Amino acid sequence: MDAAEFRKRGKEMVDYIADYLEKIEKRQVFPDVEPGYLRPLIPDCAPQDPESFEDVFKDIEKIIMPGVTHWHSPYFFAYFPAASSFPALLADMLCGGIGCVGFSWAASPACTELETVMLDWLGKMINLPEEFLAGKDGQGGGVIQGSASEATLISLLAARTKTIRRVQLEKPELTEADIMGRLVAYASDQAHSSVERAALIGGVKMKNVSSDDTFSVCGSALKKVLDEDKASGLIPFFFCATLGTTPCCSFDKLLELGPICNKENIWMHIDAAYAGSAFICPEFRHLLNGVEFADSFNFNPHKWLLVNFDCSAMWVKKRSDLTGAFKLEPLYLQHHHQESGLVTDYRHWQIPLGRRFRSLKLWFVLRMYGVTGLQDHIRKHVRLSHQFEHLVLQDERFEICAEVVLGLVCFRLKVKNSFNRRACNQSLCKRVDCDTESEHQAIINNSTGVSSSHDT
Ligand SMILES: *Cc1c(COP(=O)(O)O)cnc(C)c1O
């Protein structure tokens, strides 16, 4: 394909995508296909000789679309929302076009610097404490990770290294393996499964802290397990607080938990994957109070802020905690400069070496919606969820089972739970293949598709 054909095909592809999104509600949300549907539809191996674009294009409707779950359909109510908008789609095209791999500042200065500045913009939008911003010469700063799961993993690994080094100084007789064996991380019993997974990957113990009757972890619950574990010789090192839990959008009590973590030398990470976008509205910002005690904070603009997957925004107070934990400088990657402010080698902040120019998506979206446009978007969804809550409350067969704070409404039939579970399995969970009850509860989450974003 030469540039002339690319121009032509590119325009056709944009038209195809615009048509797809404009008429998405006409498509069946969940496809009628059985596992293995695709293999018989395409050849056993790659073609020996080149095919035309027309041939490839024809197969989109024939082979791909029949097996697509349409996340941006207004009838999609599964899992959590996936954000999308036309400005973000255009930025992603440009990202592919530039095609740089921005692992270090020198590998593409714009890729690194725009990301740092966009994370500062976003941090200011949610009123993050100054320490989390990079500014001109800050020691904190933000980074775009692929997912909240990676952000949690990275912070757990950094906390692990930091704690091992500290304990080795205090007790030189302990080996790294001795310390590893005693480390223990904590999260709410309502936390996302990715937190437990981070501990599995990180090779450390993880314990659930019981949430209270509002599904929130409070200070006394954490204090209790910490005291028990310290008494039995374990080393608590990491607590992942959740703001906006996946099962019911509850909020851990940061103002109680933060001071305990700080006092006990426990790294506090905050996972606000879904709820974080709402903090751009002053009326929801109080939910983030206590972030000043955290070491790291993360939320997903790709869930609720009109930026297409993948864009997970993570901030740390001390970038040296990350770079100190993961820095390797082979000869072919060495540049000599001091890290601070805009001078950043993001490869030290993440697991892979390579990284895409993802901040373009944020830049386009933040500029083309503006803060007020994005606030309108959030407020509309919260309004809709309260409207739905109101309808549920008017029907005496149903009850609301967790406070409705943002866009998630948890409700059930006023009968035994086993019946609710059966009803759920028969209706939705089977069809969308939910494997946990929490995913069922997220079903009534507002979809944030393009279709709902361009009518604001
Ligand atoms: C959605 C969600 C996650 C997982 O997000 P990914 O970006 O897909 O890893 C983690 N934690 C919470 C609270 C979530 O809502």
Side-chain angles (χ1 to χ4, degrees), residues 80 146-149 192 194 242 244-246 271 273-274 300 302-303 309:
F80 39 75
S147 65
S149 313
H192 193 266
S194 56
T242 311
T245 59
T246 312
D271 173 11
Y274 161 71
N300 285 352
H302 71 231
K303 274 187 171 158
F309 191 82

Side-chain angles (χ1 to χ4, degrees), residues 106-124:
S108 202
C111 177
T112 294
E113 294 198 17
L114 187 67
E115 183 161 332
T116 309
V117 177
M118 284 307 100
L119 273 281
D120 275 4
W121 277 19
L122 199 55
K124 286 177 191 165

Side-chain angles (χ1 to χ4, degrees), residues 39 68 77 100 153 159-162 175 182 195 213 217 264 280 325 450 453:
R39 190 179 278 278
V68 168
F77 296 108
C100 64
L153 175 62
R160 189 187 75 179
T161 303
K162 195 176 178 178
T175 65
R182 294 195 204 176
V195 182
D213 55 357
V217 171
E264 304 279 347
I280 65 166
V450 168
S453 60

